[in-house]
Amino acid sequence: IILANTDLTKEGDILGAAIMLPNELVERQVIGSHHTTILSVTSQKVDPYYLTHLINSVKVRNEIKRFRRGATVKGIITDDLKRLIIELPSLEEQKKITKILDKAYEVERDSDKMRALHQTLAKLVFYQMFGDVRINDRRIPLKKIGDFCTIVNGSTPRKSESSFWDGDIPWVSPKTLSKIETPWLQQPTRYITQEGYSSCSTHMVEKGSILFSSRAPIGLVAITSSPSRGFVWLGNRNSGSKDLMWSRLSTHPFTSL
């Protein structure tokens, strides 16, 4: 198992990420970079695939982040990893859990493909129905977003205050929006604590709300699949389609504003 022991990103979303070596490399000698730690399972009572899944879980990743050291570049050391306490059921139970998670990830990958196709088709249908929204060639009546949406800004707790981070409250940044391929946001950027939430002027947004990035990169749009905190929130005050709003906003040339 190869684990990332260093993270150069501010959000810390790489630290502690783990992968299994490909089968073709299992029997070969492997040398990792100084940014990685290699875990070799020596006990017959531990399934390495289960351990990989467990390390990548939100709970364990957050525990690993608590061991972070360094002022500028955050990292973890081997001695701290050795002190990490994990849940270890019987080997039979581990294999059952691994089989279920492998199947879930397979379904998730297929779902991602379907959501990407849905996104492409949604934009195509939107164009066929409303034409080129940049020039409004079909003379559709225009209305200000503020007339039918509640709009609030998000905020970011101080990154230097460790007690503000790695809690259980989802927090989203534009960086995450730049990576998603579907209208729906599935995972937050990081998690903050209640103390971090209280320290800044961010807001809780409801499931199904529209997130819009007002800072670089400007104009990224997503629909929340769970309650989150982050940046600009567009809360629809009527029964209008959130998918329609997402499609309209995602095709608007905001970068020219």
Side-chain angles (χ1 to χ4, degrees):
I1 302 173
I2 300 179
L3 182 143
N5 62 28
T6 308
D7 199 336
L8 301 178
T9 67
K10 294 181 179 179
E11 289 77 12
D13 54 358
I14 297 176
L15 189 66
I19 61 169
M20 281 286 297
L21 278 174
N23 291 331
E24 60 269 21
L25 296 180
V26 170
E27 301 300 328
R28 298 176 60 182
Q29 292 184 334
V30 176
I31 300 176
S33 75
H34 64 288
H35 294 305
T36 63
T37 297
I38 298 179
L39 285 69
S40 299
V41 177
T42 58
S43 173
Q44 298 296 322
K45 297 181 179 181
V46 179
D47 178 58
Y49 292 96
Y50 166 81
L51 184 57
T52 303
H53 281 304
L54 189 64
I55 291 174
N56 284 323
S57 67
V58 173
K59 180 180 179 181
V60 175
R61 288 287 296 281
N62 283 340
E63 286 297 317
I64 290 175
K65 289 177 182 179
R66 296 183 190 279
F67 291 122
R68 286 181 298 185
R69 304 187 184 205
T72 304
V73 179
K74 301 295 184 180
I76 51 177
I77 62 176
T78 303
D79 287 343
D80 286 338
L81 281 175
K82 290 179 179 179
R83 295 192 291 115
L84 190 65
I85 298 175
I86 63 171
E87 298 172 350
L88 196 63
S90 67
L91 183 61
E92 181 182 1
E93 191 67 22
Q94 291 176 45
K95 292 184 179 295
K96 288 181 180 179
I97 294 173
T98 299
K99 186 176 181 180
I100 293 172
L101 289 175
D102 285 343
K103 184 63 177 178
Y105 285 132
E106 182 180 341
V107 171
E108 184 178 13
R109 285 193 295 269
D110 291 340
S111 297
D112 287 341
K113 293 179 182 178
M114 291 301 296
R115 283 193 292 267
L117 178 60
H118 171 267
Q119 176 181 352
T120 301
L121 292 176
K123 288 185 176 181
L124 177 60
V125 171
F126 186 90
Y127 182 81
Q128 291 176 338
M129 291 176 63
F130 300 105
D132 190 339
V133 296
R134 292 169 297 183
I135 60 175
N136 195 19
D137 54 348
R138 300 193 181 177
R139 300 296 186 268
I140 297 172
L142 302 178
K143 196 171 185 179
K144 295 179 181 179
I145 288 181
D147 292 340
F148 56 90
C149 280
T150 299
I151 304 176
V152 296
N153 285 313
S155 185
T156 303
R158 281 201 314 274
K159 296 290 183 68
S160 59
E161 183 57 62
S162 59
S163 64
F164 291 171
W165 299 93
D166 302 327
D168 57 4
I169 301 173
W171 178 86
V172 185
S173 76
K175 176 183 176 181
T176 299
L177 263 65
S178 67
K179 295 179 179 179
I180 64 174
E181 299 178 353
T182 68
W184 293 87
L185 177 69
Q186 302 295 330
Q187 293 291 335
T189 306
R190 290 185 66 180
Y191 290 84
I192 62 176
T193 62
Q194 182 61 47
E195 184 180 358
Y197 171 66
S198 301
S199 72
C200 60
S201 57
T202 190
H203 298 82
M204 169 67 83
V205 300
E206 302 172 355
K207 177 180 178 180
S209 298
I210 296 175
L211 296 178
F212 172 83
S213 61
S214 59
R215 293 178 176 83
I218 296 175
L220 298 177
V221 185
I223 305 172
T224 58
S225 58
S226 62
S228 303
R229 293 169 171 84
F231 32 93
V232 174
W233 166 51
L234 307 181
N236 204 351
R237 292 201 297 258
N238 56 34
S239 59
S241 169
K242 293 178 173 62
D243 293 273
L244 181 61
M245 282 190 64
W246 167 85
S247 184
R248 176 63 183 91
L249 289 168
S250 63
T251 55
H252 194 289
F254 287 105
T255 52
S256 64
L257 297 179

